[in-house]
C-alpha cells in the first residue's frame, strides 16, 4: 500500500558518518581520532573489521553521491571528521582535509542534493582524547574553533548544519560504561562529559552563526522508556533512565535547565552561565529513533541485554528485553509506533519551545540484498511518523540510517544498516531492494506533492 502523502517540501534524505565510512584514516594529513586508536586495539571491534578502511567513502564518494542521486534523495547527512580538518584537535588546519569536504559538498550540490554535515559524530582528535576528551572543558572551546573553520569554508554552499550527534551515547557508552571509545568506565563520574558536549554544542552554534551558517540543529537520540512493571522499584529505574536517556541533553538545549537538580549539581564549571550558551536558539531539532527501551530496577537478568552491551550491576536501573515484536538482525525490537510515541512526548514536554523536527536517523540492521525486513521497518516508521505529524508534531524531513552498510562501531561490519550493500573485500556497492523501495517512495511523494 502506498504511503500517505507527506507535506510539500518534506526533505527525504539518508545519513552516514565519517568514522563509519571514510576509511583513509591516515591519508592526506588526517590525524588519528580516539575511535581510530580504540578500534585498532585487538578485540575491540567484535568481528575484527578493518575500520581504518571503512567503506572507502573517502575514495568513492562520487559513487555514493551517484547512488544518492539515483535514489532521488533531497539531502545527505554526512559527518566531517574533526581530526581530518584539525589533526591535533587544536592548532594548524589540514588544508587537504578541508578540500575533501569542499569537493564532497560541490559534488552533492551538482546533483541537487542538500549537504547536511554533522560536525561531531564521535571521532574526537586523539590528542584531545588523551588529554581527557569530553571530561575537559577545553575540548568544548576547541570544538567551537573547529566549527568556525569548517563554516568559513562551507557556509556559502551548506544550507543545513548539525553540531553534535548523540551526546548521550558518547557519555554513556564511551565514558560511563567503556564499551565505546575512549573506553572509560566512570559510571556517574562521566557526567562532566555530558556537560562539556552540551557546552560544545552551544559554543558551536555561536561560532557557526558568526561564520555565516544558518539553519542549525543537532541530532539527539530518543527512546520511549517503558517501565518493566508498575512497581515502585521498576518505575524508579525507568524514570532515571528516561531522565538520562531523553532529557539530560534535550532539556538544557530546549529549556536552559537540567531536568533534575541532582544532575545539575554534579556538573562542573559555571553551570548557570553555561546553560545560557547551551540553550542558544536552534532552527530545528534532530531526533534519532530506533526503538523503545524497557527499563526497571537493576536485575541480574538485565545485565547483558543492552544492545549486546554489558551493563554493570552497580547501575541503579536495568534494561529488559522487549517481547512480542519482530526483531532486527541486531536483535532490536521493531516498534514503529514508538516513533510516534516519542515525538508526542517531545511535543508534550516542550510545546512551542520544540523547533521544527527532522528525523536525523532511523533504520535497522538486516542481512542480504533482498531485505524485506528493512522495507517493512521503514514503511512502518514512515506511517508512524505521518500519524505523529497528523497529531500536530511539525516534522520537516526524514533521514534513513544509512545510505550504505558501514562500520557499526564495535559491531564492525557484521550489522548492516545500508540501503546499499557493501562487499567489504572489494568495497563493491550493490543497491538492495530497500534502495529501490525508498527511491519509489520519494518519487511517488514528489509526484503527489
Ligand atoms: C549514531 C548512531 C549511528 C549508528 C546507528 C545504528 O551515533 O548516530 O550510533 O552511528 O550506526 O545508530 O546503531
Amino acid at each position: 500500500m502506498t504511503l500517505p502523502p507527506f507535506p510539500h517540501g518534506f526533505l527525504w534524505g539518508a545519513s552516514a558518518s565519517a568514522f563509519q565510512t571514510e576509511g583513509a584514516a591516515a591519508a592526506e594529513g588526517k590525524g588519528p581520532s580516539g575511535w581510530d586508536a580504540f578500534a585498532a586495539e585487538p578485540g575491540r571491534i567484535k568481528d575484527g573489521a578493518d575500520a581504518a578502511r571503512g567503506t572507502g567513502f573517502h575514495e568513492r564518494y562520487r559513487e555514493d553521491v551517484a547512488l544518492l542521486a539515483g535514489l532521488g534523495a533531497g539531502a545527505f547527512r554526512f559527518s566531517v571528521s574533526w581530526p581530518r580538518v584539525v589533526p591535533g584537535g587544536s592548532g594548524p588546519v589540514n588544508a587537504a582535509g578541508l578540500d575533501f569536504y569542499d569537493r564532497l559538498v560541490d559534488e552533492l550540490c551538482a546533483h541537487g542534493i542538500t549537504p547536511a554535515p554533522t560536525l561531531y559524530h564521535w571521532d574526537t582528535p586523539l590528542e584531545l582524547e588523551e588529554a581527557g576528551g569530553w571530561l575537559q572543558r577545553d575540548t568544548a572551546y576547541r570544538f567551537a574553533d573547529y566549527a568556525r573553520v569548517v563554516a568559513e569554508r562551507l557556509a556559502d554552499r551548506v544550507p543545513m548544519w548539525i553540531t553534535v550527534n548523540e551526546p548521550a551515547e558518547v557519555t554513556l557508552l564511551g565514558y560511563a560504561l567503556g564499551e565505546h571509545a575512549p573506553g572509560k568506565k566512570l559510571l556517574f563520574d562521566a557526567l562532566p562529559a555530558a556537560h562539556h558536549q552540551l557546552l560544545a554544542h552551544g559554543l558551536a552554534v555561536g561560532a557557526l552563526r558568526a561564520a555565516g551558517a544558518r539553519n542549525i540543529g543537532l541530532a539527539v537520540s530518543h527512546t520511549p522508556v517503558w517501565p518493566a512493571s508498575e512497581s515502585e522499584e521498576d518505575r524508579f529505574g525507568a524514570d532515571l533512565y528516561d531522565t538520562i536517556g531523553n532529557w539530560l541533553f534535550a532539556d538544557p538545549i530546549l529549556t536552559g535547565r537540567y531536568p533534575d537538580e541532582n544532575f545539575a549539581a554534579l556538573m562542573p564549571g559555571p553551570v548557570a552561565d553555561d546553560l545560557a550558551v547551551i540553550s542558544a536558539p536552534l532552527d530545528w531539532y534532530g531526533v534519532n529513533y530506533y526503538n523503545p527501551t524497557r527499563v526497571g530496577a537493576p536485575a541480574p537478568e538485565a545485565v547483558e541485554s543492552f544492545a549486546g552491551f554489558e551493563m554493570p550491576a552497580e547501575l541503579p536501573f536495568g534494561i529488559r528485553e522487549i517481547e512480542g515484536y519482530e526483531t532486527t538482525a541486531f536483535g532490536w525490537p521493531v516498534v514503529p509506533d514508538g516513533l510516534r510515541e516519542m515525538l508526542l512526548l517531545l511535543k508534550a514536554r516542550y510545546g512551542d519551545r520544540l523547533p521544527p523536527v527532522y528525523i536525523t536517523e532511523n533504520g535497522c540492521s538486516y542481512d542480504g540484498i533482498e531485505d524485506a525486513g528493512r522495507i517493512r521497518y521503514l514503511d512502518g516508521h514512515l506511517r508512524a511518523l505521518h500519524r505523529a505529524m497528523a497529531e500536530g508534531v511539525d516534522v520537516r524531513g526524514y533521514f534513513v540510517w544509512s545510505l550504505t552498510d558501514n562500520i557499526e562501531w564495535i559491531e564492525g561490519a557484521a550489522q548492516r544498516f545500508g540501503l546499499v550493500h557493501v562487499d567489504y573485500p572489494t568495497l563493491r556497492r550493490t543497491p538492495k531492494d530497500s534502495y529501490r523501495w525508498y527511491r519509489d517512495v520519494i518519487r511517488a511523494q514528489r509526484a503527489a506533492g
Side-chain angles (χ1 to χ4, degrees), residues 20 121-122 165-166 288 290 332 361 401 408-409 417:
Q20 294 176 275
H121 203 126
W122 304 4
N165 174 72
E166 296 194 357
N288 292 355
Y290 289 91
W332 297 2
E361 285 180 28
W401 184 273
E408 178 57 20
W409 309 109
F417 280 81

Side-chain angles (χ1 to χ4, degrees), residues 154 222 271 387 407:
L154 301 179
H222 281 290
V271 173
R387 287 196 295 276
I407 302 296

Side-chain angles (χ1 to χ4, degrees), residues 77-151:
R77 177 180 169 226
F78 58 96
S79 82
V80 175
S81 160
W82 183 355
R84 193 177 292 289
V85 173
V86 185
S90 62
V93 170
N94 175 32
L98 264 184
D99 288 349
F100 169 65
Y101 297 107
D102 199 273
R103 289 197 299 276
L104 172 59
V105 163
D106 279 347
E107 187 74 6
L108 288 164
C109 292
H111 288 82
I113 300 165
T114 294
T118 304
L119 292 170
Y120 180 68
H121 203 126
W122 304 4
D123 44 359
T124 309
L126 184 59
E127 222 168 289
L128 293 183
E129 193 69 84
E130 286 178 339
W134 291 114
L135 298 172
Q136 293 296 334
R137 186 176 177 88
D138 184 61
T139 302
Y141 293 92
R142 302 291 72 83
F143 179 69
D145 293 344
Y146 145 74
R148 181 182 50 78
V149 167
V150 178

Side-chain angles (χ1 to χ4, degrees), residues 122 168-184 306 309 311:
W122 304 4
E169 275 58 32
V170 174
T171 307
L172 185 70
L173 301 177
Y175 288 84
L177 302 181
E179 296 282 350
H180 279 189
K184 291 193 169 28
F306 182 73
F309 298 131
M311 296 289 279

